[in-house]
């Protein structure tokens, strides 16, 4: 059974407003992998599980006749229907491990954007086996926590923003509310095990940069499941943590106006793309590739 953790209305709203959208570069990578197995004129149905507020579902809808987004949280689905609802997208409440409204052997692509670590993977793969057509693809994508590596473009050598995000994520006051399943994102999904009849590629060097405003980091911080856990348990302490984060952010950026202060961040992303097939994957020896913005090392694609 999927972990149920993003179900509050306020949390769903924060998630919709401040979680990073799925970059076009990642969508393109997934579709390239799919096109190598199934021609694009055969792309009828995509299913996005753990869809949250539909950041990825809506982008996929441009390439398929029909696109279905499922999440265990009614609040998340409500957000998706309001914010990210193209004409050929259909949202509903359902766990990733059981999709009774999707026909057997009917789907070309199943995606999970920063969600698969919450799944019961054995049950999930049993369901993808049922719904995928021959050579159908599963794509499991996540950005690596603590998330964006922000940089002040006016002071690009200053790494204090990156340090702030890391220290805030590992704040001992939040630690009791860290679900063990989050660890999978910290180790780049390297603990995931596909069934032997899946061929897979693990790509770990997708780095996307974006310019945004500093207040987005505040909303992103609030959207963390760790922080929301503290809100439910001890709201005054959660408010204190938030105000400390805001104060440090303003101090580093030397501004009181986080709504007009621009920052640049790089978003490290890992992707596992797999197709149903008879041959198990063969892993290559990993090396590292530095991100051009933050200098952080990433494993290159693993075949």
């Amino acid at each position: 059974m999927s972990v149920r953790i993003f179900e509050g209305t306020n949390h769903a709203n924060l998630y919709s407003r401040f979680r990073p959208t799925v970059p076009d570069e990642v969508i393109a990578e997934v579709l390239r992998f799919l096109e190598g197995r199934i021609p694009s004129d055969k792309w009828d149905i995509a299913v996005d599980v753990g869809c949250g507020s539909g950041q990825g579902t809506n982008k996929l809808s441009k390439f398929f006749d029909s696109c279905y987004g499922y999440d265990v949280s009614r609040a998340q689905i409500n957000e998706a229907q309001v914010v990210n609802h193209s004409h050929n997208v259909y949202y509903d409440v359902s766990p990733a491990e059981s999709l009774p409204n999707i026909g057997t052997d009917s789907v070309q692509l199943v995606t999970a954007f920063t969600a698969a670590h919450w799944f019961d993977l054995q049950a999930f793969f049993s369901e993808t086996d049922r719904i995928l057509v021959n050579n159908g693809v599963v794509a499991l994508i996540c950005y690596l926590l603590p998330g964006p590596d922000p940089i002040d473009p006016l002071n690009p050598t200053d790494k204090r923003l990156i340090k702030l995000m890391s220290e805030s994520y590992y704040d001992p006051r939040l630690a009791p509310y860290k679900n063990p399943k989050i660890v999978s994102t910290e180790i780049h999904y390297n603990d995931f095990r596909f069934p032997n009849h899946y061929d897979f590629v693990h790509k770990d060097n997708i780095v996307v940069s974006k310019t945004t405003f500093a207040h987005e980091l505040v909303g992103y911080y609030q959207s963390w499941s760790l922080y929301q856990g503290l809100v439910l348990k001890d709201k005054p302490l959660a408010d204190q943590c938030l105000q400390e984060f805001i104060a440090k952010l303003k101090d580093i950026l030397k501004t009181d106006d986080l709504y007009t202060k621009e920052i640049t961040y790089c978003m490290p992303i890992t992707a596992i793309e797999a197709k149903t097939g008879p041959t198990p994957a063969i892993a290559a020896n990993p090396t590292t590739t530095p991100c051009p913005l933050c200098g952080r090392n990433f494993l290159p694609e693993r075949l």
Side-chain angles (χ1 to χ4, degrees):
M1 178 66 73
S2 299
V3 173
R4 307 176 72 96
I5 203 166
F6 298 96
E7 302 207 39
T9 300
N10 184 59
H11 195 181
N13 181 260
L14 287 166
Y15 200 99
S16 173
R17 292 166 58 199
F18 297 113
R19 283 298 177 105
T21 59
V22 181
D24 291 339
E25 296 92 330
V26 173
I27 296 291
E29 167 60 36
V30 169
L31 296 181
R32 278 194 298 271
F33 186 86
L34 176 62
E35 193 165 23
R37 282 85 190 156
I38 300 175
S40 59
D41 61 353
K42 303 294 185 183
W43 294 357
D44 299 322
I45 299 175
V47 174
D48 185 27
V49 287
C51 70
S53 48
Q55 291 99 327
T57 323
N58 203 47
K59 287 195 173 185
L60 286 172
S61 67
K62 303 172 186 177
F63 306 97
F64 293 84
D65 294 338
S66 300
C67 196
Y68 295 84
Y70 292 102
D71 200 280
V72 293
S73 167
R74 166 54 65 186
Q76 292 279 8
I77 292 298
N78 289 343
E79 286 288 331
Q81 290 173 329
V82 171
V83 178
N84 293 305
H85 200 189
S86 298
H87 72 281
N88 62 332
V89 175
Y90 309 91
Y91 290 111
D92 204 354
V93 177
S94 185
E97 300 87 351
S98 177
L99 303 167
N101 292 333
I102 301 297
T104 299
D105 299 328
S106 64
V107 175
Q108 287 73 44
L109 176 67
V110 175
T111 58
F113 296 103
T114 315
H117 49 287
W118 301 117
F119 301 166
D120 176 338
L121 288 177
Q122 183 175 357
F124 169 65
F125 288 129
S126 293
E127 188 68 337
T128 60
D129 278 346
R130 182 185 70 81
I131 66 175
L132 282 172
V133 301
N134 186 40
N135 282 330
V137 167
V138 178
L140 308 180
I141 317 295
C142 81
Y143 50 82
L144 308 178
L145 292 174
D149 286 335
I151 293 172
D152 182 353
L154 299 181
N155 193 8
T157 61
D158 187 351
K159 307 298 184 184
R160 286 182 296 162
L161 283 178
I162 297 174
K163 184 178 179 182
L164 172 63
M165 296 302 296
S166 180
E167 289 179 345
S168 300
Y169 179 74
Y170 293 106
D171 186 333
R173 294 171 294 184
L174 301 185
Y177 310 99
K178 179 179 177 178
N179 190 293
K181 285 181 172 285
I182 294 178
V183 173
S184 291
T185 69
E186 298 171 359
I187 60 174
H188 307 203
Y189 279 0
N190 276 303
D191 57 334
F192 280 15
R193 296 293 178 265
F194 280 83
N196 287 337
H197 61 286
Y198 281 73
D199 298 323
F200 76 88
V201 176
H202 188 171
K203 297 193 174 182
D204 213 12
N205 62 342
I206 307 172
V207 182
V208 179
S209 62
K210 179 182 177 180
T211 298
T212 187
F213 295 103
H215 79 94
E216 296 279 335
L217 291 180
V218 178
Y220 176 70
Y221 174 91
Q222 291 176 279
S223 78
W224 284 346
S225 59
L226 296 77
Y227 176 77
Q228 288 297 317
L230 180 58
V231 169
L232 293 175
K233 183 69 174 180
D234 190 340
K235 191 173 186 306
L237 180 57
D239 290 342
Q240 178 185 331
C241 292
L242 177 62
Q243 292 308 313
E244 289 175 4
F245 178 81
I246 293 172
K248 291 175 182 177
L249 189 59
K250 289 180 175 180
D251 179 62
I252 292 170
L253 294 173
K254 298 180 173 57
T255 182
D256 286 325
D257 186 1
L258 299 179
Y259 284 84
T260 60
K261 173 59 180 175
E262 285 192 346
I263 60 169
T264 300
Y265 69 72
C266 68
M267 175 64 73
I269 296 170
T270 193
I272 306 178
E273 301 159 310
K275 77 173 183 69
T276 54
T279 308
I282 301 174
N285 294 326
T287 56
T288 59
T289 300
C291 167
L293 281 178
C294 67
R296 188 170 167 188
N297 284 328
F298 301 96
L299 295 174
E301 70 177 57
R302 192 178 63 176
L303 302 177

